[in-house]
Amino acid sequence: WAFVPRRFLADPTGGFVTIFTSMFMHGGWMHLGGNMLYLWIFGDNVEDRMGHARFIAFYLLCGATAALAQVLMRPDSMVPTIGASGAIAGVMGAYLVLFPHSRVLTLVPLFVIWEIIEVPAVLFLGLWFVVQLFSGVGSLAVSTGDTGGVAFWAHVAGFVAGLGGVFVFRRRQRRTAEWWV
């Protein structure tokens, strides 16, 4: 049920379903917990602006875009790709567009002391994206497509899909009518 780029290229119709099933598989409790934490922080606000059905379609489309980006970057890879990170990266991109001035509570390690501070969403998400982008560029230096690890290009593609897709999937703001005025 995992997405494997080389298998997908060999038989796109047979591997099509794994684009979606792989989003619901994870490599352990920490993988699942990290993804769910980010979805909890950013997803509810984005879903509120889109509505339930649009959010589900948006989420799946961002995840599919992320999987296809992994094919582009590592077409010969036989390493199974699993996790919702690409779809959640899309949600994070949408959050950046919809709520750039919001603040995100962030746990920051300061040597032996851990501090919780509020960070502007644009800074938090911007730094996260830059780290993913540079890590993706660094991963290109690895000569083989059969190394495991993090699918950085899936994160980058999901985020970019979220940045653009939010304009298609968000609901228009309703005007409030004050009848008593």
Side-chain angles (χ1 to χ4, degrees), residues 72-96:
L72 281 173
M73 299 314 291
R74 295 287 187 197
D76 292 335
S77 177
M78 283 298 291
V79 176
T81 303
I82 57 173
S85 303
I88 294 169
V91 172
M92 293 165 64
Y95 190 93
L96 180 61

Side-chain angles (χ1 to χ4, degrees), residues 8-19:
F8 177 77
L9 289 175
D11 181 17
T13 56
F16 179 77
V17 72
T18 63
I19 290 174

Side-chain angles (χ1 to χ4, degrees), residues 41-165:
I41 292 169
F42 300 108
D44 64 336
N45 295 326
V46 174
E47 182 182 14
D48 185 53
R49 287 285 180 94
M50 291 183 180
H52 304 311
R54 287 180 184 202
F55 179 77
I56 291 169
F58 170 79
Y59 180 87
L60 293 173
L61 184 63
C62 288
T65 302
L68 295 175
Q70 197 63 21
V71 170
L72 281 173
M73 299 314 291
R74 295 287 187 197
D76 292 335
S77 177
M78 283 298 291
V79 176
T81 303
I82 57 173
S85 303
I88 294 169
V91 172
M92 293 165 64
Y95 190 93
L96 180 61
V97 170
L98 295 171
F99 307 101
H101 304 294
S102 293
R103 302 182 75 70
V104 180
L105 285 177
T106 308
L107 184 64
V108 178
L110 302 170
F111 300 106
V112 295
I113 300 170
W114 293 69
E115 186 74 31
I116 296 177
I117 62 171
E118 287 185 357
V119 177
V122 68
L123 177 65
F124 183 93
L125 295 171
L127 285 174
W128 181 88
F129 179 75
V130 167
V131 167
Q132 301 307 306
L133 185 62
F134 282 139
S135 298
V137 170
S139 73
L140 294 176
V142 178
S143 62
T144 178
D146 286 335
T147 58
V150 179
F152 295 110
W153 289 110
H155 295 171
V156 169
F159 192 86
V160 171
L163 287 173

